[in-house]
Amino acid sequence: MQTIFQLFPSSVKAAKNEKNIGIPCCEISDEPSFSWRGLNLDCCRHFMSKDFVKRYIDILAYYKFNVLHWHLTDDQAWRIEIKKYPKLTQVGAWRVESDGSVYSGFYSQEDVKEIVSYARIRFITIVPEIEMPGHSLASLSAYPENSCSGGPFKPANSFGVFKDIYCAGRDSTYIFIHNVLDEITQLFPGKFIHIGGDEAPKNLWKECPICQAKMKTEGLKDENELQSYFIKNISAYLTDKGKSVIGWDEILQGGLAPGTIVQSWQGFQGAVDAANLGHYTICSPESFTYFNTSPENLDLRKVYSFNPVPDTLPENKKNYVLGGEVNLWTEYIKQENVDENLFPRMLALAEVFWSNPQNKNFDEFYSRVKKSYADLRSMGIKYGREAKSFTYNITIDKIKKESVVNVVKLQDNIEIRYTVDGTIPDSNSHLYLDTLKISKPLVLKIAAFNAYYITGVALTLKFVNNMASGSKITISNQYAERYNGGGKEALIDGIKGTTNFHDGLWQGYEGVDFEGTIDLGELKEIHSVAPTFLFNQDSWIFLPEKVEISLSEDNIAFNNIRTINNDIPQKSTEVLIKEFAALYNKEKARYIKVKALSIKECPDWHSGSGGKAWLFIDEILVK
Ligand code: ACM
Ligand code: ZN
């Protein structure tokens, strides 16, 4: 039926009420390559309305997906009503954002029944995901007695991996989860229940006497085996109820429970290990199927090249790969931005999951993608980009003292528009035709437009006056290539980084200090030197402990040393940009040295404890 519907003209799909419809005469002989063709929708980090979920069920059916993996519980929210434990939604479905506003939403059991039956008649199986033992802070906020420390907790208003997880030592935790699963299995008649299992830090289990006692009585040699014990307990409970259990690839640690299905996300290895052990697997590696990754970093062509069956799997194990899933994690994606992240890339996976791999041909596929846009519009799908739509480079004209911005379009079906007043470009903003020459401080915003609307977020470039623009800089320690900020001159290019650490403007140093020396070319009067740092503790980006700035005439004797200590607590969860400014009294210098002392390792209290800490630096403002 969906194949026939796909043959209808787009105008019919939009109106759905035409009487006489012609379709080409044809014979359809068709079957899918994979039995598992899923979309994982994270309705925790951002909530999606019941109608929106139903709309996606229609879209999935049209593109011949058959699984909606519904991510319902996480650190930031518990979104499904459980009658026995009303606080799960009374407490767990509400979070207070850092600006004090409240973000909430949950599905009542009536909503869930409606959605499940809507899905069933469209041949979509809904697989609920109830996360454990990690990603459980919202649950623990409602019932802190299930944690190791006893709490209190609040649903998280930031993102990452949190150290407080279910206590695997307390028998009451298991009873609680069994009771929750009793209601879940009543609500979801499908065969599959996803129990998460990913990203569970075991630090607190190491310190918890109850967890340690459980390990002793059960003869478990380490915390990985305790996790395995936990997952096996829950799996056995669900298996007894006739369900099949799915977990993320971390459930391989410490040994798999019989019959569990492994969803591989950290590359393909989880799928390979599971299949080799004779377990079914769903292959959804981050590098191909995480559509929260921008199209700049995961484009249509790469998605189309995905094969759910890992190359390294022996022939006789390939049948253990059930298929794959698109994953949409919504930390930074609201309901209104879901379409643009999923489309057009979902078309590529629809084809990967359905078609015979021998028939794959990107050019031929792409010719159909272009025709599909009319269909997407007729169905009200606000699709986004296929790939990176433009790049830019900036050169500094030292004589005219201006920055020259050159934008290069990477797709022919878009136009580039920009503003210089800080507003987001719209379809009436200046059309970019030729290089832009900028000689005074301003905020330049550049965006790509398809024929209908802006696609993606606007690029923001904040131009400032910097006396060091166009000078030379030498840097002692190496920055990370993926956060190169545009090379070392980026630190004095007159453009300031934004609060988005992915903006390409920041230079990131992993576990090392920053040290750089600017050569102004001649002696100049210095009023101030202010290197700028980004702080985003959740993303392991910390402020320097202190910054030391000194001046020199000859690059040998440095004097006028100023030390600026950090005065912002590294525990703060705010994301901010901080200048460490040294003031001078018109001292003359040609060389300026900046040393920033990194904390190097994430502190004990941090979820990344012991891992390398990042130091992010951008503009070193010299006046
Ligand atoms: C995952 O991305 N943590 C499954
Ligand atoms: Zn414990």
Side-chain angles (χ1 to χ4, degrees):
M1 282 307 297
Q2 294 297 346
T3 304
I4 291 173
F5 191 45
Q6 287 181 1
L7 293 170
F8 288 0
S10 301
S11 58
V12 173
K13 289 168 195 158
K16 294 189 177 161
N17 60 358
E18 284 187 34
K19 294 284 189 301
N20 300 305
I21 301 164
I23 60 169
C25 182
C26 61
E27 196 172 288
I28 297 166
S29 161
D30 203 9
E31 62 177 359
S33 274
F34 293 98
S35 62
W36 194 283
R37 304 180 301 280
L39 165 67
N40 171 18
L41 207 50
D42 170 6
C43 294
C44 294
R45 274 58 175 265
H46 279 104
F47 183 66
M48 290 165 211
S49 72
K50 181 178 71 180
D51 287 340
F52 187 84
V53 175
K54 285 160 87 175
R55 171 176 176 263
Y56 257 93
I57 289 167
D58 284 325
I59 293 171
L60 288 176
Y62 181 72
Y63 288 109
K64 302 181 181 177
F65 284 69
N66 62 354
V67 172
L68 175 64
H69 168 172
W70 201 8
H71 189 75
L72 285 166
T73 76
D74 214 303
D75 297 308
Q76 292 77 13
W78 182 285
R79 302 246 184 251
I80 180 167
E81 180 190 21
I82 300 295
K83 303 264 194 215
K84 193 172 177 76
Y85 300 113
K87 284 193 283 183
L88 282 171
T89 44
Q90 285 165 2
V91 173
W94 304 73
R95 69 172 183 254
V96 181
E97 303 285 31
S98 49
D99 66 0
S101 63
V102 174
Y103 187 89
S104 65
F106 70 90
Y107 307 98
S108 69
Q109 294 206 348
E110 286 311 304
D111 292 337
V112 172
K113 285 179 197 158
E114 189 180 325
I115 288 171
V116 167
S117 71
Y118 192 86
R120 186 159 38 177
I121 57 177
R122 287 161 180 80
F123 300 95
I124 305 286
T125 300
I126 300 198
V127 178
E129 182 182 355
I130 307 297
E131 274 268 19
M132 64 192 80
H135 285 291
S136 49
L137 198 54
S139 170
L140 297 179
S141 304
Y143 297 97
E145 59 270 30
N146 296 322
S147 70
C148 290
S149 73
F153 311 105
K154 284 186 191 140
N157 61 8
S158 60
F159 305 110
V161 173
F162 295 86
K163 66 181 191 318
D164 287 290
I165 65 175
Y166 286 118
C167 176
R170 291 172 206 268
D171 294 333
S172 51
T173 306
Y174 295 87
I175 295 167
F176 170 86
I177 295 173
H178 294 172
N179 289 337
V180 167
L181 292 173
D182 284 347
E183 294 190 32
I184 295 292
T185 51
Q186 283 295 312
L187 288 165
F188 296 93
K191 194 165 166 49
F192 305 96
I193 306 283
H194 202 307
I195 59 169
D198 60 318
E199 298 181 318
K202 322 240 175 2
N203 315 28
L204 294 184
W205 287 358
K206 284 202 174 96
E207 292 160 18
C208 170
I210 305 169
C211 283
Q212 292 301 313
K214 178 68 105 190
M215 284 166 60
K216 223 176 199 157
T217 53
E218 298 296 334
L220 307 171
K221 74 172 192 305
D222 60 18
E223 288 72 22
N224 281 340
E225 288 197 0
L226 181 58
Q227 161 151 323
S228 175
Y229 170 87
F230 181 101
I231 299 287
K232 281 177 179 159
N233 172 295
I234 304 300
S235 297
Y237 190 77
L238 286 167
T239 308
D240 272 357
K241 289 173 170 287
K243 298 292 183 183
S244 286
V245 174
I246 308 169
W248 297 105
D249 53 48
E250 286 94 329
I251 66 168
L252 282 153
Q253 298 161 5
L256 282 179
T260 42
I261 299 168
V262 174
Q263 181 164 9
S264 191
W265 72 278
Q266 304 178 92
F268 291 88
Q269 197 56 44
V272 172
D273 293 346
N276 279 326
L277 290 166
H279 283 250
Y280 285 107
T281 179
I282 297 157
C283 201
S284 64
E286 202 172 5
S287 51
F288 287 95
T289 70
Y290 273 34
F291 285 9
N292 38 293
T293 310
S294 75
E296 282 72 22
N297 295 318
L298 173 58
D299 65 20
L300 187 68
R301 186 182 285 271
K302 176 156 186 204
V303 173
Y304 190 76
S305 74
F306 175 53
N307 181 357
V309 182
D311 294 339
T312 55
L313 206 56
E315 203 57 42
N316 64 347
K317 301 287 187 208
K318 290 189 169 161
N319 62 317
Y320 284 108
V321 180
L322 297 175
E325 280 185 8
V326 176
N327 289 269
L328 192 71
W329 301 105
T330 60
E331 283 92 337
Y332 305 102
I333 299 169
K334 294 181 183 148
Q335 175 174 304
E336 64 259 35
N337 304 115
V338 168
D339 285 6
E340 71 186 64
N341 283 277
L342 289 180
F343 285 95
R345 291 180 290 180
M346 229 165 105
L347 301 176
L349 281 195
E351 187 147 319
V352 166
F353 294 156
W354 189 274
S355 298
N356 186 335
Q358 273 105 59
N359 295 340
K360 265 168 75 172
N361 174 332
F362 182 79
D363 293 335
E364 192 268 336
F365 164 70
Y366 187 59
S367 70
R368 286 181 287 108
V369 168
K370 284 193 266 189
K371 289 182 198 149
S372 298
Y373 285 136
D375 258 17
L376 293 174
R377 285 194 297 278
S378 74
M379 293 187 284
I381 296 173
K382 198 163 182 276
Y383 55 87
R385 307 181 301 296
E386 297 161 3
K388 192 178 180 112
S389 44
F390 66 91
T391 76
Y392 68 96
N393 58 59
I394 297 170
T395 48
I396 293 173
D397 185 330
K398 287 184 197 173
I399 296 155
K400 290 187 187 156
K401 289 194 180 338
E402 59 189 21
S403 303
V404 182
V405 182
N406 180 36
V407 179
V408 183
K409 270 208 269 185
L410 299 176
Q411 286 177 41
D412 51 12
N413 51 352
I414 56 159
E415 36 186 50
I416 304 295
R417 293 183 179 272
Y418 67 95
T419 62
V420 291
D421 60 0
T423 60
I424 297 170
D426 62 27
S427 51
N428 297 316
S429 302
H430 305 289
L431 188 62
Y432 175 88
L433 298 169
D434 197 1
T435 54
L436 305 173
K437 299 189 170 68
I438 293 169
S439 57
K440 58 176 203 258
L442 56 80
V443 177
L444 173 66
K445 286 191 188 264
I446 306 172
F449 289 74
N450 63 23
Y452 306 90
Y453 45 75
I454 185 170
T455 77
V457 283
L459 166 73
T460 300
L461 297 172
K462 187 171 178 195
F463 287 85
V464 291
N465 278 330
N466 189 351
M467 192 171 90
S469 283
S471 303
K472 288 201 176 62
I473 181 167
T474 50
I475 290 172
S476 308
N477 290 325
Q478 189 51 44
Y479 48 80
E481 197 38 52
R482 70 194 153 110
Y483 299 113
N484 64 36
K488 59 184 178 169
E489 260 76 37
L491 299 183
I492 46 173
D493 63 0
I495 303 168
K496 287 187 80 170
T498 66
T499 51
N500 170 9
F501 71 89
H502 282 304
D503 66 8
L505 300 169
W506 291 98
Q507 209 166 70
Y509 291 81
E510 194 176 16
V512 293
D513 298 331
F514 169 81
E515 185 178 326
T517 305
I518 298 169
D519 176 0
L520 297 171
E522 58 185 328
L523 282 181
K524 288 191 174 167
E525 270 183 13
I526 311 291
H527 296 232
S528 65
V529 178
T532 320
F533 296 87
L534 180 66
F535 179 52
N536 183 342
Q537 186 241 99
D538 268 344
S539 303
W540 303 25
I541 302 167
F542 295 89
L543 288 169
E545 270 175 31
K546 64 175 181 185
V547 176
E548 195 184 280
I549 295 165
S550 52
L551 309 178
S552 171
E553 295 190 2
D554 55 8
N555 204 13
I556 298 166
F558 278 85
N559 43 43
N560 283 299
I561 299 172
R562 302 276 191 277
T563 302
I564 306 105
N565 290 310
N566 175 37
D567 57 4
I568 293 183
Q570 304 277 17
K571 268 194 173 173
S572 165
T573 52
E574 241 180 299
V575 174
L576 54 85
I577 294 169
K578 183 173 167 65
E579 280 182 11
F580 285 69
L583 301 181
Y584 288 101
N585 191 18
K586 303 188 189 171
E587 271 86 355
K588 283 216 158 65
R590 172 172 166 181
Y591 299 92
I592 302 169
K593 187 176 287 190
V594 175
K595 285 191 203 175
L597 192 71
S598 165
I599 66 165
K600 298 192 179 65
E601 267 191 19
C602 298
D604 289 344
W605 48 264
H606 190 261
S607 62
S609 170
K612 285 181 186 172
W614 286 96
L615 185 70
F616 268 48
I617 180 168
D618 184 33
E619 201 67 4
I620 302 173
L621 274 170
V622 181
K623 285 186 185 156

